[in-house]
Amino acid sequence: MAGQAAARDKLHGLVTGVFYAPVDYVFAVRRVLRLLRPAMVVVAETEIWPNLFREAKRTGAGLAIVNGRISDRAIGRYRRLRRFFEAVLPAVDAILAQTSEIAERFVSIGAPPEHVAVAGNLKYDFEARPADPESPAMRFLEDRRPAPVWVAASTMGPAAAGDVDEDDVVIAAFRELAAQHRDLVLVLAPRKPERFDLVASKLEAAEVAFFRRSRLPVHDAEARVLLLDTIGELAGLFTAADVVFMGGTLAQRGGHNILEPALFGKPVIMGPHMENFQAIAEDFVAANACLRIAAAQELVGAVARLLDDRQAAGEIGRRALACAEARRGATARAVAETRKLMAAPRYRQAMPWFVLLWVPARIWEWGGRLKQARQCARLRKLETPVISIGNLTMGGTGKTPCVLQVAEVLKRGGHRPGILTRGYGRSSPIGHMVVAPGAHVQTEKSGDEPQIFIRSGIAPVGIGADRFQTGQLLSHEFRPDVILLDDGFQHRRLARNLDIVLIDALEPFGGGDVFPAGRLREPLSGLARADVVLITRADASDLAPAIEREVRRWAPGVPVLRAWMEPEFWVAQRTGARYELTQTPFGAVGVFCGLGNPQSFLRTLARMNVPVVGSVEFEDHHRYRAREVRWSAYQLRKQGATALVTTEKDSVNLCDGCAELSAPLEIYWLKVRMRIEGEEALVKEIRKRLE
């Protein structure tokens, strides 16, 4: 509980959630992984959970142990369980051990040697951040300056009968030291919250005047002992210490981390028990960077020595700081390794749905291959060169903005592009139609995405299910010198000069299986047909390197480029007025959209710092009825929205009179364009295919 509270406090604003790891039962682990869909699972030190490891790998996630540690006391027990670890550890992609000795221990219990490396100890990368000078604890200490401050950190009770109680030892030592150092201040910080009250009663029994941190700023002006009964505050108080005694080292508790006070340049006293931090202890002892005592009786003399000889104490503190800083860098090495291991997440439906969906998925896969084989057998070729822009997954990957961007690039280069599209969802008795740039055509006749192409004014648009006949009509009417085939990767009946395949970085591979078990239109092996792969929304995800590695499994030499959506301006639906992004015409907004990937739009708004109070989602290509606009406006207004925002694609699907239906809330839609990193490489590939 205390650890989770500290994590929530320190990581607030940096992470999406802090929660307990699931109990290591398959059903529990699977539910958590299915919800999170992690690209990487990182485990600290020696938390080896067989079901978590196996299920993480089954989802395709990378798996690493960082700051790997097996103590002297534990290695014998681990070796006795070697058969168990031999079955578990090969699932780990990388084990980053603290030292070469620990690396050898992991190998000795069954870890594959090629998966084990020495990366150093993460604790050396602790950032020494002094406590706020205005904090109650620091004010308590400053009020007693220039008195020396002794911090007894993370003290522990006895591990077994006959073991020492470190709080008793510290209290007794303080009473003895106070006779010679009457102004000495003690900060006593028990390790466990459940001992706070017990230690308070010990101080009372010893007739030592003290005050509890939880009751500050009110305190006894004569009290020279501060009982630190809070969590997460100790590290910052080391900055005020003249001497530090590290608890858990006199009692048989295996020791605690001495790096935090060392990185403040403070002299540290530790007892004989540092089994859990043996390598660190050996480094510091060898460098004369600490003061080690053998028994509780030596604590008084050690503290007195450092208080009396400030020069020697300062030298020990300087050596401690140098020793700690010389071994920094483990965090950077761990981050670099985990980035290399990140994998595009897959997911599998829960039982029994997986079994029920597996057979239809195989039928879909077989049917798709059969359909493509028939189309290839009837391949037809237009006289005009064709560039296909498509994807592998169902749902949005940014094809429409990509088509427009490529058309614009071609036009700037002196070409006359045309756009060829099926016109999904249109209701028109005309099988094939071609439309001039900027012409007025009802959305019902064209479809929503063709409507965006038309009103962009960049190129003429051909709309029809039979792309060959529509392409011929487009070529005859407007004489383009290159045709862009929208959503054409699986439409094999029309020959193309170049296949551009889009992969959404937020949902890269549709769960790893074809519909209905996943969202793939065809297996990943289809990537072998790609000539260029474009990772879209690459700015919203860290998965681009992992996606590229997966692409190169199927298409080793294909150029892989990255792209992102860049907002341009807002448009008022009622008036058509444009507003710069810096002159947003609304306050808190409600969002409604019908997209294949609605989260992408919400993330765009979040990056723009648009205050969203609520959202309503519809299916992809949704045509909005009057009652739906009225209901959405009502619901979002109740949540505090002062305006409604949506996408350009949704704006063309709104019903007539939508401005009156949403009143008093105005509707605005966001104009975006695609930016392609290394666009010159794409242009070069296109020109090569058009020659």
Side-chain angles (χ1 to χ4, degrees):
M1 294 289 289
Q4 189 186 56
R8 288 184 183 278
D9 178 59
K10 292 182 178 296
L11 298 176
H12 178 71
L14 298 176
V15 299
T16 303
V18 176
F19 53 91
Y20 292 110
V23 178
D24 201 47
Y25 290 117
V26 171
F27 78 91
V29 172
R30 282 183 179 174
R31 288 190 66 180
V32 171
L33 293 178
R34 194 178 299 120
L35 177 65
L36 297 179
R37 298 184 189 177
M40 186 74 204
V41 175
V42 180
V43 177
E45 300 193 350
T46 49
E47 296 292 329
I48 301 174
W49 300 102
N51 288 319
L52 174 62
F53 283 19
R54 184 178 65 248
E55 294 302 317
K57 293 308 298 178
R58 192 175 60 82
T59 67
L63 177 62
I65 294 176
V66 301
N67 214 41
R69 180 177 68 87
I70 301 176
S71 68
D72 294 343
R73 291 194 303 177
I75 185 58
R77 183 171 68 254
Y78 277 53
R79 282 173 177 156
R80 287 193 295 273
L81 297 172
R82 178 184 169 91
R83 287 194 174 183
F84 166 78
F85 291 114
E86 280 180 330
V88 176
L89 289 176
V92 184
D93 298 307
I95 299 174
L96 306 181
Q98 294 179 8
T99 66
S100 56
E101 182 181 6
I102 292 174
E104 291 172 2
R105 290 176 180 177
F106 273 103
V107 173
S108 73
I109 65 171
E114 63 274 15
H115 292 184
V116 182
V118 179
N121 194 326
L122 297 181
K123 292 182 170 63
Y124 281 105
D125 292 332
F126 167 76
E127 184 178 351
R129 293 183 180 178
D132 184 349
E134 297 302 315
S135 71
M138 286 295 287
R139 292 294 298 271
F140 178 94
L141 298 176
E142 288 301 319
D143 287 347
R144 284 150 181 77
R145 286 296 188 189
V149 176
W150 171 27
V151 175
S154 300
T155 52
M156 300 284 287
D163 196 13
V164 299
D165 186 313
E166 291 179 337
D167 293 300
D168 288 339
V169 173
V170 169
I171 293 170
F174 176 75
R175 294 185 65 188
E176 186 173 343
L177 288 163
Q180 300 175 351
H181 301 82
R182 294 186 179 277
D183 57 348
L184 178 63
V185 176
L186 170 65
V187 177
L188 179 52
R191 176 77 170 185
K192 301 289 186 181
E194 56 266 27
R195 285 182 61 86
F196 291 161
D197 291 338
L198 174 62
V199 176
S201 66
K202 289 177 180 288
L203 288 164
E204 290 172 353
E207 298 182 347
V208 174
F210 74 98
F211 210 83
R212 300 180 70 144
R213 162 64 182 88
S214 58
R215 296 176 186 173
L216 293 178
V218 180
H219 60 83
D220 180 357
E222 299 300 319
R224 308 200 70 78
V225 175
L226 176 63
L227 175 59
L228 194 66
D229 58 349
T230 56
I231 298 297
E233 197 170 11
L234 174 61
L237 294 181
F238 285 132
T239 187
D242 294 286
V243 179
V244 176
F245 162 65
M246 185 53 65
T249 63
L250 287 175
Q252 297 177 33
R253 295 289 187 172
H256 291 140
N257 179 20
I258 64 173
L259 292 171
E260 292 180 0
L263 285 164
F264 280 99
K266 304 301 179 180
V268 181
I269 301 169
M270 62 183 180
H273 297 292
M274 283 289 285
E275 293 86 355
N276 294 340
F277 300 88
Q278 193 63 43
I280 294 174
E282 290 174 356
D283 286 346
F284 274 67
V285 170
N288 293 318
C290 65
L291 189 59
R292 194 161 197 178
I293 59 177
Q297 295 82 354
E298 299 178 24
L299 181 60
V300 172
V303 175
R305 172 185 163 188
L306 295 175
L307 290 175
D308 293 337
D309 191 344
R310 295 299 182 90
Q311 184 175 351
E315 185 58 34
I316 291 174
R318 284 188 288 274
R319 286 196 292 264
L321 176 59
C323 190
E325 287 187 331
R327 292 161 179 79
R328 285 179 175 270
T331 302
R333 289 188 286 272
V335 169
E337 185 64 28
T338 53
R339 280 187 179 279
K340 289 193 295 184
L341 295 174
M342 287 179 70
R346 302 192 300 266
Y347 61 87
R348 195 176 81 174
Q349 301 287 342
M351 290 293 204
W353 308 115
F354 172 74
V355 174
L356 296 175
L357 295 175
W358 187 86
V359 172
R362 303 289 72 78
I363 294 173
W364 174 282
E365 184 178 343
W366 172 79
R369 287 174 178 165
L370 187 64
K371 179 181 178 181
Q372 288 194 22
R374 286 201 304 265
Q375 288 184 347
C376 289
R378 303 171 183 173
L379 188 68
R380 307 181 76 177
K381 184 176 181 179
L382 293 171
E383 293 182 3
T384 307
V386 173
I387 298 172
S388 167
I389 298 173
N391 59 11
L392 284 175
T393 57
M394 299 176 177
T397 55
K399 292 188 299 295
T400 301
C402 184
V403 170
L404 289 174
Q405 182 64 18
V406 173
E408 190 172 307
V409 168
L410 289 169
K411 195 170 183 179
R412 287 201 307 264
H415 290 279
R416 302 185 310 280
I419 298 174
L420 185 58
T421 180
R422 176 186 175 189
Y424 180 85
R426 74 190 187 103
S427 55
S428 173
I430 304 172
H432 315 285
M433 60 187 300
V434 293
V435 184
H440 178 72
V441 181
Q442 291 182 333
T443 303
E444 290 78 7
K445 294 182 178 180
S446 66
D448 49 17
E449 288 165 346
Q451 188 69 210
I452 296 173
F453 296 147
I454 294 166
R455 71 182 187 183
S456 73
I458 296 174
V461 181
I463 308 167
D466 188 328
R467 259 59 71 86
F468 177 74
Q469 289 190 25
T470 308
Q472 284 186 315
L473 185 59
L474 180 65
S475 297
H476 176 73
E477 291 288 335
F478 293 99
R479 305 295 181 187
D481 62 0
V482 57
I483 290 177
L484 301 179
L485 175 60
D486 173 46
D487 197 12
F489 193 54
Q490 285 77 37
H491 186 77
R492 304 289 298 279
R493 289 184 62 185
L494 185 64
R496 70 284 317 274
N497 300 70
L498 181 75
D499 259 310
I500 301 173
V501 177
L502 275 54
I503 298 176
D504 185 354
L506 298 178
E507 291 280 351
F509 299 119
D513 205 347
V514 299
F515 181 82
R519 291 177 48 250
L520 285 174
R521 297 178 175 185
E522 60 175 302
L524 292 179
S525 57
L527 284 169
R529 305 196 313 273
D531 299 304
V532 174
V533 171
L534 204 58
I535 302 174
T536 62
R537 302 187 180 100
D539 60 327
S541 171
D542 293 325
L543 288 179
I547 295 169
E548 184 170 345
R549 287 195 298 272
E550 184 69 21
V551 167
R552 297 204 182 285
R553 285 183 56 199
W554 305 103
V558 67
V560 180
L561 308 177
R562 301 180 188 184
W564 60 94
M565 303 303 176
E566 184 176 275
E568 289 194 288
F569 49 82
W570 290 101
V571 180
Q573 178 71 17
R574 181 169 56 87
T575 64
R578 293 186 179 187
Y579 298 89
E580 298 297 325
L581 300 178
T582 56
Q583 299 172 335
T584 308
F586 44 71
V589 302
V591 179
F592 70 95
C593 61
L595 303 173
N597 185 0
Q599 287 301 314
S600 63
F601 183 50
L602 293 173
R603 291 192 187 206
T604 297
L605 296 177
R607 289 196 298 275
M608 296 170 63
N609 296 316
V610 174
V612 176
V613 298
S615 63
V616 180
E617 296 175 6
F618 297 88
E619 72 275 7
D620 197 12
H621 300 281
H622 185 70
R623 298 280 178 82
Y624 293 90
R625 301 179 180 88
R627 60 181 176 82
E628 292 170 333
V629 175
R630 188 184 299 111
W631 179 85
S632 298
Y634 173 73
Q635 294 295 327
L636 293 170
R637 188 183 179 195
K638 281 201 309 181
Q639 297 178 52
T642 61
L644 302 179
V645 300
T646 190
T647 69
E648 182 177 13
K649 178 178 171 180
D650 289 286
S651 73
V652 302
N653 280 321
L654 289 171
C655 59
D656 293 336
C658 61
E660 290 73 25
L661 295 168
S662 67
L665 304 185
E666 292 282 352
I667 299 175
Y668 300 88
W669 55 269
L670 182 63
K671 178 65 177 178
V672 300
R673 69 179 301 164
M674 179 173 282
R675 296 293 187 186
I676 302 173
E677 186 178 56
E679 191 172 79
E680 61 280 359
L682 177 60
V683 172
K684 181 179 178 181
E685 197 68 27
I686 291 173
R687 286 175 176 167
K688 184 170 68 175
R689 301 304 179 100
L690 297 182
E691 291 176 354

